[in-house]
Amino acid sequence: TGGAGYVGSALVPALIHSCYDVTGLDLFLFGAPEVVLASVKDHPRLRCVRLDIRDEPALTRALEGAEAVVHLACISNDPSFELDPQLGTSINYEAFPGLLRAVRATGVKRLIYASSSSVYGIQPQPNVREDAPCKPLTDYSTYKLLCEELLKTTLRDSCEWVIVRPATVCGYAPRLRLDLTVNLLTLHALVKREITVFGGSQLRPNLHIDDMVAAYRLLLEAPAPLIHRAVFNVGYQNRTVAELAELVRRQVGDPSVSITVKPTDDLRSYHINADRIREVLGFVPRGTIE
């Protein structure tokens, strides 16, 4: 689900090239399949289905024959969620029980749920592990956590399931997002020649999109005893927003790019630890922020 989103537009071609049969479910609001998935648009192993995940009968039909589901579809950040809270709630939370029913009804063997490291909120400890108490600060992160709880209580052992809490993803994909921290700061540097930093002291965990794709592939292929009922942080480099701004200016290579700091009420700061996925599955990120 969300096969034409930021991560989906990178994950779908990667799976096709790894000899998977892939069904991409999406509304395709940000580009038709032949645009967003141009590199594999005519591939015989790709099937694209335009649907709204809130349409449970259509979703159930689309999942027929699927062995595994990677659930990416959602209103995918706090500002977008706040534009229309009811829309965000209906897609990110109220549609989730229907997805779980569709998974059970069609005999899907494995469900990978994309949660978020934002469920941790503000944490005092330097390394936030998966067993840390979750303190979501926004509706977006609250519903991510509530879906985790629904998954645990609804599916139980009716299929294999795993929860992923990714860091903030950065890097290029065909359906590019320019609201994520590193991508946004880079856009500011290239287009405005001024990087605006809100706050600056907040820590943000980062992960290159190629590594996010690699993590999902690994979770699709890992033996069930290693991943069933597990929660995995997936991240790599933890940096403050101010450090990211300096890094971006350095990488762009234009000393005339200025950095402007403004106050913010977004105090989310967390330093996620991703040792578990390395120790259990051998996952080692390769892409850096640079």
Side-chain angles (χ1 to χ4, degrees):
T1 74
Y6 177 44
V7 173
S9 68
L11 178 60
V12 168
L15 293 177
I16 291 289
H17 293 315
S18 296
C19 297
Y20 281 82
D21 294 308
V22 182
T23 299
L25 309 182
D26 207 288
L27 275 172
F28 298 102
L29 295 177
F30 298 96
E34 58 268 23
V35 175
V36 181
L37 301 173
S39 66
V40 291
K41 63 183 177 67
D42 297 319
H43 204 287
R45 287 199 301 272
L46 174 64
R47 178 173 71 115
C48 291
V49 178
R50 189 186 303 268
L51 63 73
D52 187 322
I53 60 166
R54 295 171 293 180
D55 184 343
E56 187 177 336
L59 180 62
T60 304
R61 289 192 298 271
L63 294 188
E64 286 289 349
E67 291 181 279
V69 172
V70 182
H71 183 47
L72 304 176
C74 69
I75 302 295
S76 55
N77 62 18
D78 294 314
S80 295
F81 196 103
E82 290 161 7
L83 282 173
D84 189 338
Q86 181 49 48
L87 178 69
T89 301
S90 69
I91 293 171
N92 289 19
Y93 181 61
E94 293 172 352
F96 195 64
L99 171 76
L100 298 181
R101 286 191 292 269
V103 163
R104 294 183 72 171
T106 54
V108 169
K109 295 177 183 177
R110 180 169 297 188
L111 173 64
I112 301 170
Y113 173 57
S115 184
S116 169
S117 60
S118 67
V119 298
Y120 295 118
I122 300 172
Q123 295 283 345
Q125 65 266 44
N127 272 296
V128 180
R129 298 176 182 270
E130 291 86 350
D131 55 359
C134 293
K135 304 173 183 178
L137 297 175
T138 64
D139 286 346
Y140 168 77
S141 51
T142 296
Y143 288 127
K144 283 291 188 184
L145 184 60
L146 287 173
C147 285
E148 289 188 19
E149 297 305 318
L150 273 175
L151 174 55
K152 293 173 184 176
T153 56
T154 303
L155 286 189
R156 299 182 185 274
D157 289 316
S158 58
C159 82
E160 302 155 9
W161 55 263
V162 59
I163 294 167
V164 184
R165 293 176 179 164
T168 302
V169 180
C170 61
Y172 178 77
R175 159 58 181 118
L176 189 60
R177 277 182 60 185
L178 292 168
D179 58 297
L180 300 168
T181 309
V182 172
N183 295 358
L184 176 62
L185 298 181
T186 304
L187 175 68
H188 284 184
L190 292 171
V191 177
K192 297 169 60 180
R193 300 294 172 188
E194 177 187 14
I195 301 173
T196 302
V197 172
F198 292 94
S201 63
Q202 313 98 307
L203 275 167
R204 287 288 187 272
N206 300 274
L207 183 72
H208 194 278
I209 192 163
D210 290 348
D211 288 317
M212 186 75 264
V213 167
Y216 283 126
R217 286 182 56 190
L218 187 59
L219 290 167
L220 283 167
E221 296 165 5
L226 297 182
I227 61 98
H228 181 39
R229 293 175 169 259
V231 178
F232 291 110
N233 289 339
V234 185
Y236 186 28
Q237 295 166 292
N238 293 275
R239 298 284 187 273
T240 67
V241 177
E243 288 172 340
L244 290 173
E246 290 288 354
L247 183 154
V248 166
R249 177 162 64 178
R250 188 165 63 248
Q251 284 298 113
V252 168
D254 184 350
S256 70
V257 172
S258 63
I259 297 176
T260 301
V261 180
K262 295 184 178 181
T264 183
D265 57 2
D266 182 359
L267 301 175
R268 289 174 300 129
S269 182
Y270 42 92
H271 181 299
I272 69 168
N273 179 294
D275 287 350
R276 177 182 289 178
I277 194 168
R278 185 185 73 245
E279 293 165 357
V280 174
L281 300 178
F283 177 72
V284 178
R286 300 179 183 277
T288 65
I289 299 167
E290 287 88 345

